[in-house]
Structures are given as C-alpha cells and as structure tokens.
Amino acid sequence: MFKIITKTALKVLFALVIALIIAFAVASLGFPKAMAEFFEKQGNYSFAKGYMSLQYTYSGDVGDLARCVQDCILAEDDNSVSKTGDKLLGHEQFDGLCESETERLGLDYRQYICGKIACSKYRLGDKDGAVSLAKDAVSKSGEFSKNNALVQLAVEVSKAKDKECAQTLKTAVEECGGDTGYSKEVITAIEKVING
C-alpha cells in the first residue's frame, strides 16, 4: 500500500514540475516584458536584460531597447551596455526618445545614457571610442551642462588615475566646454589626474 501511495505521489510531483517548466517556458517566450518586470522588481537585472532583449527582438520599439540598456547598466554588464548601447545610439528613433525621456525624467537623457555607455566602453578598454562618444553627445547638446557625458567619463578616468586618457579628455572638454566656470572646474580636476 505504501509503495502505491509513494509512486502516485512521485508521479503527481513529476507532473507538477513538468507543468511548471512548461508554464515558465510559455511565459518566458510569450510574455518577455512581463517577465522582465518581474525580475526588475526582484532586483535581478541580469535576467531582466535578457527578457528585454527578447522583447525588443519582438517589437523593434526603441523604448524596449532603451529599457534593455538600462537593465544592462543596472546589472553592471559593461559588455552588454556597450553592445546594446551602440544599437540604441544607432536607432532611427533615438533623437525622439531623448526628447521624450528628457521631459519625463527631468534630466538630459542623451547625456545620461551616452555617459553610461562611454564609461562602459572605457572600462572595456575602448578609450578612444569612449571619449569620442562622450564628446559627440556634448557637442549635440550645444552646452556644457552639469553631469554631461564628458563629466561622467572624467569621473571614471579619475577613479582609474589614467593620465593618458585624462589628457585626451582634457582636450575634448576644452573643445566642447567653452569658457564656462563649470568647464574650468572639470579641466582643473582632470589636470590633477594628469599631474598625478
């Protein structure tokens, strides 16, 4: 009698596990955005970025791609930030996204996202690409605002005490910053790294 009960219980448990696996697979493939939201709420951005990448593959929507990049940033995955960030920057609707996100968030979204992508590129060793990206973002804004992409990159370069990149960055800030008090402060901070 005990063997029959045990076998039945194991069969039921096995069937339940199979049903859960199938349900998870259906949810993963059929509802990647909902799965991403679930993992974001749990703080597991490594899984969330995968689901948002799948969602972007389905939708092609620039908002989904931007959210994927943000999940990559929060997962601290520089390689993914760089790759998906390049896709975002090259998307035909990127300028429109920058306008809407700047209005929604109350900060210059282009500077924010380009700064994060530039810092990831820098940490991966693409120093010239990082400086070029940050400089291009500041040039497009037409002003040397606080916490712009070059400033974010300057903080990263300062942490690394990278004298060579600091020199390149100083030149970029001089070209983009004009003669404002803020740009002079940034240049002074960069010179401290150079003179080390």
Side-chain angles (χ1 to χ4, degrees), residues 79-94:
N79 196 38
S80 293
V81 171
S82 181
K83 286 179 182 176
T84 57
D86 286 343
K87 281 185 194 175
L88 179 63
L89 298 174
H91 198 285
E92 62 187 19
Q93 296 173 344
F94 179 65

mmCIF file with all atom_site columns, all heavy atoms in Angstrom, residues 79-94:
data_model
loop_
_atom_site.group_PDB
_atom_site.id
_atom_site.type_symbol
_atom_site.label_atom_id
_atom_site.label_alt_id
_atom_site.label_comp_id
_atom_site.label_asym_id
_atom_site.label_entity_id
_atom_site.label_seq_id
_atom_site.pdbx_PDB_ins_code
_atom_site.Cartn_x
_atom_site.Cartn_y
_atom_site.Cartn_z
_atom_site.occupancy
_atom_site.B_iso_or_equiv
_atom_site.pdbx_formal_charge
_atom_site.auth_seq_id
_atom_site.auth_comp_id
_atom_site.auth_asym_id
_atom_site.auth_atom_id
_atom_site.pdbx_PDB_model_num
ATOM 1   N N   . ASN A 1 79 ? 29.971 44.825 -21.123 1.00 0.00 ? 79 ASN A N   1
ATOM 2   C CA  . ASN A 1 79 ? 29.947 44.305 -22.488 1.00 0.00 ? 79 ASN A CA  1
ATOM 3   C C   . ASN A 1 79 ? 28.560 44.469 -23.110 1.00 0.00 ? 79 ASN A C   1
ATOM 4   O O   . ASN A 1 79 ? 28.428 44.929 -24.242 1.00 0.00 ? 79 ASN A O   1
ATOM 5   C CB  . ASN A 1 79 ? 30.388 42.841 -22.492 1.00 0.00 ? 79 ASN A CB  1
ATOM 6   C CG  . ASN A 1 79 ? 30.752 42.349 -23.868 1.00 0.00 ? 79 ASN A CG  1
ATOM 7   O OD1 . ASN A 1 79 ? 31.338 43.072 -24.657 1.00 0.00 ? 79 ASN A OD1 1
ATOM 8   N ND2 . ASN A 1 79 ? 30.404 41.116 -24.157 1.00 0.00 ? 79 ASN A ND2 1
ATOM 9   N N   . SER A 1 80 ? 27.523 44.123 -22.351 1.00 0.00 ? 80 SER A N   1
ATOM 10  C CA  . SER A 1 80 ? 26.150 44.270 -22.852 1.00 0.00 ? 80 SER A CA  1
ATOM 11  C C   . SER A 1 80 ? 25.760 45.733 -22.992 1.00 0.00 ? 80 SER A C   1
ATOM 12  O O   . SER A 1 80 ? 25.060 46.108 -23.941 1.00 0.00 ? 80 SER A O   1
ATOM 13  C CB  . SER A 1 80 ? 25.164 43.559 -21.927 1.00 0.00 ? 80 SER A CB  1
ATOM 14  O OG  . SER A 1 80 ? 25.363 42.167 -21.966 1.00 0.00 ? 80 SER A OG  1
ATOM 15  N N   . VAL A 1 81 ? 26.206 46.573 -22.062 1.00 0.00 ? 81 VAL A N   1
ATOM 16  C CA  . VAL A 1 81 ? 25.907 48.010 -22.149 1.00 0.00 ? 81 VAL A CA  1
ATOM 17  C C   . VAL A 1 81 ? 26.489 48.561 -23.440 1.00 0.00 ? 81 VAL A C   1
ATOM 18  O O   . VAL A 1 81 ? 25.823 49.300 -24.172 1.00 0.00 ? 81 VAL A O   1
ATOM 19  C CB  . VAL A 1 81 ? 26.464 48.789 -20.940 1.00 0.00 ? 81 VAL A CB  1
ATOM 20  C CG1 . VAL A 1 81 ? 26.338 50.290 -21.158 1.00 0.00 ? 81 VAL A CG1 1
ATOM 21  C CG2 . VAL A 1 81 ? 25.762 48.391 -19.658 1.00 0.00 ? 81 VAL A CG2 1
ATOM 22  N N   . SER A 1 82 ? 27.728 48.198 -23.733 1.00 0.00 ? 82 SER A N   1
ATOM 23  C CA  . SER A 1 82 ? 28.386 48.693 -24.945 1.00 0.00 ? 82 SER A CA  1
ATOM 24  C C   . SER A 1 82 ? 27.674 48.216 -26.209 1.00 0.00 ? 82 SER A C   1
ATOM 25  O O   . SER A 1 82 ? 27.377 49.014 -27.103 1.00 0.00 ? 82 SER A O   1
ATOM 26  C CB  . SER A 1 82 ? 29.846 48.240 -24.952 1.00 0.00 ? 82 SER A CB  1
ATOM 27  O OG  . SER A 1 82 ? 30.512 48.718 -26.097 1.00 0.00 ? 82 SER A OG  1
ATOM 28  N N   . LYS A 1 83 ? 27.361 46.935 -26.279 1.00 0.00 ? 83 LYS A N   1
ATOM 29  C CA  . LYS A 1 83 ? 26.736 46.382 -27.490 1.00 0.00 ? 83 LYS A CA  1
ATOM 30  C C   . LYS A 1 83 ? 25.310 46.896 -27.687 1.00 0.00 ? 83 LYS A C   1
ATOM 31  O O   . LYS A 1 83 ? 24.948 47.357 -28.769 1.00 0.00 ? 83 LYS A O   1
ATOM 32  C CB  . LYS A 1 83 ? 26.729 44.858 -27.439 1.00 0.00 ? 83 LYS A CB  1
ATOM 33  C CG  . LYS A 1 83 ? 28.089 44.246 -27.680 1.00 0.00 ? 83 LYS A CG  1
ATOM 34  C CD  . LYS A 1 83 ? 28.032 42.734 -27.600 1.00 0.00 ? 83 LYS A CD  1
ATOM 35  C CE  . LYS A 1 83 ? 29.425 42.144 -27.804 1.00 0.00 ? 83 LYS A CE  1
ATOM 36  N NZ  . LYS A 1 83 ? 29.444 40.700 -27.637 1.00 0.00 ? 83 LYS A NZ  1
ATOM 37  N N   . THR A 1 84 ? 24.486 46.791 -26.645 1.00 0.00 ? 84 THR A N   1
ATOM 38  C CA  . THR A 1 84 ? 23.098 47.260 -26.793 1.00 0.00 ? 84 THR A CA  1
ATOM 39  C C   . THR A 1 84 ? 23.055 48.776 -26.863 1.00 0.00 ? 84 THR A C   1
ATOM 40  O O   . THR A 1 84 ? 22.185 49.346 -27.525 1.00 0.00 ? 84 THR A O   1
ATOM 41  C CB  . THR A 1 84 ? 22.188 46.748 -25.658 1.00 0.00 ? 84 THR A CB  1
ATOM 42  O OG1 . THR A 1 84 ? 22.727 47.154 -24.405 1.00 0.00 ? 84 THR A OG1 1
ATOM 43  C CG2 . THR A 1 84 ? 22.036 45.249 -25.696 1.00 0.00 ? 84 THR A CG2 1
ATOM 44  N N   . GLY A 1 85 ? 24.001 49.432 -26.194 1.00 0.00 ? 85 GLY A N   1
ATOM 45  C CA  . GLY A 1 85 ? 24.080 50.893 -26.268 1.00 0.00 ? 85 GLY A CA  1
ATOM 46  C C   . GLY A 1 85 ? 24.361 51.364 -27.682 1.00 0.00 ? 85 GLY A C   1
ATOM 47  O O   . GLY A 1 85 ? 23.772 52.346 -28.149 1.00 0.00 ? 85 GLY A O   1
ATOM 48  N N   . ASP A 1 86 ? 25.253 50.665 -28.397 1.00 0.00 ? 86 ASP A N   1
ATOM 49  C CA  . ASP A 1 86 ? 25.531 51.021 -29.790 1.00 0.00 ? 86 ASP A CA  1
ATOM 50  C C   . ASP A 1 86 ? 24.276 50.880 -30.648 1.00 0.00 ? 86 ASP A C   1
ATOM 51  O O   . ASP A 1 86 ? 24.010 51.703 -31.527 1.00 0.00 ? 86 ASP A O   1
ATOM 52  C CB  . ASP A 1 86 ? 26.660 50.157 -30.354 1.00 0.00 ? 86 ASP A CB  1
ATOM 53  C CG  . ASP A 1 86 ? 28.034 50.560 -29.817 1.00 0.00 ? 86 ASP A CG  1
ATOM 54  O OD1 . ASP A 1 86 ? 28.174 51.679 -29.272 1.00 0.00 ? 86 ASP A OD1 1
ATOM 55  O OD2 . ASP A 1 86 ? 28.971 49.739 -29.935 1.00 0.00 ? 86 ASP A OD2 1
ATOM 56  N N   . LYS A 1 87 ? 23.488 49.817 -30.386 1.00 0.00 ? 87 LYS A N   1
ATOM 57  C CA  . LYS A 1 87 ? 22.223 49.649 -31.117 1.00 0.00 ? 87 LYS A CA  1
ATOM 58  C C   . LYS A 1 87 ? 21.283 50.817 -30.834 1.00 0.00 ? 87 LYS A C   1
ATOM 59  O O   . LYS A 1 87 ? 20.626 51.333 -31.730 1.00 0.00 ? 87 LYS A O   1
ATOM 60  C CB  . LYS A 1 87 ? 21.519 48.354 -30.695 1.00 0.00 ? 87 LYS A CB  1
ATOM 61  C CG  . LYS A 1 87 ? 22.042 47.110 -31.304 1.00 0.00 ? 87 LYS A CG  1
ATOM 62  C CD  . LYS A 1 87 ? 21.164 45.932 -30.870 1.00 0.00 ? 87 LYS A CD  1
ATOM 63  C CE  . LYS A 1 87 ? 21.818 44.618 -31.159 1.00 0.00 ? 87 LYS A CE  1
ATOM 64  N NZ  . LYS A 1 87 ? 21.041 43.489 -30.634 1.00 0.00 ? 87 LYS A NZ  1
ATOM 65  N N   . LEU A 1 88 ? 21.221 51.206 -29.555 1.00 0.00 ? 88 LEU A N   1
ATOM 66  C CA  . LEU A 1 88 ? 20.330 52.307 -29.168 1.00 0.00 ? 88 LEU A CA  1
ATOM 67  C C   . LEU A 1 88 ? 20.757 53.608 -29.832 1.00 0.00 ? 88 LEU A C   1
ATOM 68  O O   . LEU A 1 88 ? 19.925 54.327 -30.380 1.00 0.00 ? 88 LEU A O   1
ATOM 69  C CB  . LEU A 1 88 ? 20.313 52.462 -27.648 1.00 0.00 ? 88 LEU A CB  1
ATOM 70  C CG  . LEU A 1 88 ? 19.439 53.586 -27.088 1.00 0.00 ? 88 LEU A CG  1
ATOM 71  C CD1 . LEU A 1 88 ? 17.967 53.345 -27.435 1.00 0.00 ? 88 LEU A CD1 1
ATOM 72  C CD2 . LEU A 1 88 ? 19.624 53.699 -25.581 1.00 0.00 ? 88 LEU A CD2 1
ATOM 73  N N   . LEU A 1 89 ? 22.046 53.910 -29.787 1.00 0.00 ? 89 LEU A N   1
ATOM 74  C CA  . LEU A 1 89 ? 22.542 55.157 -30.374 1.00 0.00 ? 89 LEU A CA  1
ATOM 75  C C   . LEU A 1 89 ? 22.318 55.209 -31.876 1.00 0.00 ? 89 LEU A C   1
ATOM 76  O O   . LEU A 1 89 ? 22.127 56.279 -32.443 1.00 0.00 ? 89 LEU A O   1
ATOM 77  C CB  . LEU A 1 89 ? 24.022 55.340 -30.060 1.00 0.00 ? 89 LEU A CB  1
ATOM 78  C CG  . LEU A 1 89 ? 24.389 55.457 -28.581 1.00 0.00 ? 89 LEU A CG  1
ATOM 79  C CD1 . LEU A 1 89 ? 25.892 55.489 -28.395 1.00 0.00 ? 89 LEU A CD1 1
ATOM 80  C CD2 . LEU A 1 89 ? 23.741 56.672 -27.956 1.00 0.00 ? 89 LEU A CD2 1
ATOM 81  N N   . GLY A 1 90 ? 22.344 54.044 -32.527 1.00 0.00 ? 90 GLY A N   1
ATOM 82  C CA  . GLY A 1 90 ? 22.140 53.983 -33.971 1.00 0.00 ? 90 GLY A CA  1
ATOM 83  C C   . GLY A 1 90 ? 20.689 53.849 -34.398 1.00 0.00 ? 90 GLY A C   1
ATOM 84  O O   . GLY A 1 90 ? 20.383 53.878 -35.593 1.00 0.00 ? 90 GLY A O   1
ATOM 85  N N   . HIS A 1 91 ? 19.789 53.735 -33.441 1.00 0.00 ? 91 HIS A N   1
ATOM 86  C CA  . HIS A 1 91 ? 18.363 53.563 -33.771 1.00 0.00 ? 91 HIS A CA  1
ATOM 87  C C   . HIS A 1 91 ? 17.819 54.856 -34.367 1.00 0.00 ? 91 HIS A C   1
ATOM 88  O O   . HIS A 1 91 ? 18.130 55.954 -33.902 1.00 0.00 ? 91 HIS A O   1
ATOM 89  C CB  . HIS A 1 91 ? 17.577 53.193 -32.507 1.00 0.00 ? 91 HIS A CB  1
ATOM 90  C CG  . HIS A 1 91 ? 16.246 52.592 -32.785 1.00 0.00 ? 91 HIS A CG  1
ATOM 91  N ND1 . HIS A 1 91 ? 15.161 53.333 -33.208 1.00 0.00 ? 91 HIS A ND1 1
ATOM 92  C CD2 . HIS A 1 91 ? 15.820 51.307 -32.717 1.00 0.00 ? 91 HIS A CD2 1
ATOM 93  C CE1 . HIS A 1 91 ? 14.120 52.540 -33.368 1.00 0.00 ? 91 HIS A CE1 1
ATOM 94  N NE2 . HIS A 1 91 ? 14.496 51.299 -33.079 1.00 0.00 ? 91 HIS A NE2 1
ATOM 95  N N   . GLU A 1 92 ? 17.000 54.719 -35.394 1.00 0.00 ? 92 GLU A N   1
ATOM 96  C CA  . GLU A 1 92 ? 16.468 55.893 -36.092 1.00 0.00 ? 92 GLU A CA  1
ATOM 97  C C   . GLU A 1 92 ? 15.576 56.762 -35.201 1.00 0.00 ? 92 GLU A C   1
ATOM 98  O O   . GLU A 1 92 ? 15.400 57.951 -35.470 1.00 0.00 ? 92 GLU A O   1
ATOM 99  C CB  . GLU A 1 92 ? 15.708 55.471 -37.344 1.00 0.00 ? 92 GLU A CB  1
ATOM 100 C CG  . GLU A 1 92 ? 14.498 54.594 -37.072 1.00 0.00 ? 92 GLU A CG  1
ATOM 101 C CD  . GLU A 1 92 ? 13.854 54.034 -38.317 1.00 0.00 ? 92 GLU A CD  1
ATOM 102 O OE1 . GLU A 1 92 ? 14.497 54.000 -39.375 1.00 0.00 ? 92 GLU A OE1 1
ATOM 103 O OE2 . GLU A 1 92 ? 12.673 53.636 -38.216 1.00 0.00 ? 92 GLU A OE2 1
ATOM 104 N N   . GLN A 1 93 ? 15.028 56.199 -34.148 1.00 0.00 ? 93 GLN A N   1
ATOM 105 C CA  . GLN A 1 93 ? 14.143 56.972 -33.263 1.00 0.00 ? 93 GLN A CA  1
ATOM 106 C C   . GLN A 1 93 ? 14.846 57.431 -31.972 1.00 0.00 ? 93 GLN A C   1
ATOM 107 O O   . GLN A 1 93 ? 14.192 57.851 -31.031 1.00 0.00 ? 93 GLN A O   1
ATOM 108 C CB  . GLN A 1 93 ? 12.914 56.135 -32.911 1.00 0.00 ? 93 GLN A CB  1
ATOM 109 C CG  . GLN A 1 93 ? 12.059 55.812 -34.116 1.00 0.00 ? 93 GLN A CG  1
ATOM 110 C CD  . GLN A 1 93 ? 10.936 54.844 -33.774 1.00 0.00 ? 93 GLN A CD  1
ATOM 111 O OE1 . GLN A 1 93 ? 10.943 54.197 -32.745 1.00 0.00 ? 93 GLN A OE1 1
ATOM 112 N NE2 . GLN A 1 93 ? 9.959  54.755 -34.679 1.00 0.00 ? 93 GLN A NE2 1
ATOM 113 N N   . PHE A 1 94 ? 16.190 57.354 -31.945 1.00 0.00 ? 94 PHE A N   1
ATOM 114 C CA  . PHE A 1 94 ? 16.928 57.711 -30.735 1.00 0.00 ? 94 PHE A CA  1
ATOM 115 C C   . PHE A 1 94 ? 16.727 59.184 -30.347 1.00 0.00 ? 94 PHE A C   1
ATOM 116 O O   . PHE A 1 94 ? 16.532 59.497 -29.171 1.00 0.00 ? 94 PHE A O   1
ATOM 117 C CB  . PHE A 1 94 ? 18.420 57.405 -30.905 1.00 0.00 ? 94 PHE A CB  1
ATOM 118 C CG  . PHE A 1 94 ? 19.247 57.775 -29.703 1.00 0.00 ? 94 PHE A CG  1
ATOM 119 C CD1 . PHE A 1 94 ? 19.060 57.126 -28.494 1.00 0.00 ? 94 PHE A CD1 1
ATOM 120 C CD2 . PHE A 1 94 ? 20.203 58.779 -29.778 1.00 0.00 ? 94 PHE A CD2 1
ATOM 121 C CE1 . PHE A 1 94 ? 19.810 57.464 -27.370 1.00 0.00 ? 94 PHE A CE1 1
ATOM 122 C CE2 . PHE A 1 94 ? 20.961 59.124 -28.676 1.00 0.00 ? 94 PHE A CE2 1
ATOM 123 C CZ  . PHE A 1 94 ? 20.761 58.463 -27.472 1.00 0.00 ? 94 PHE A CZ  1
#
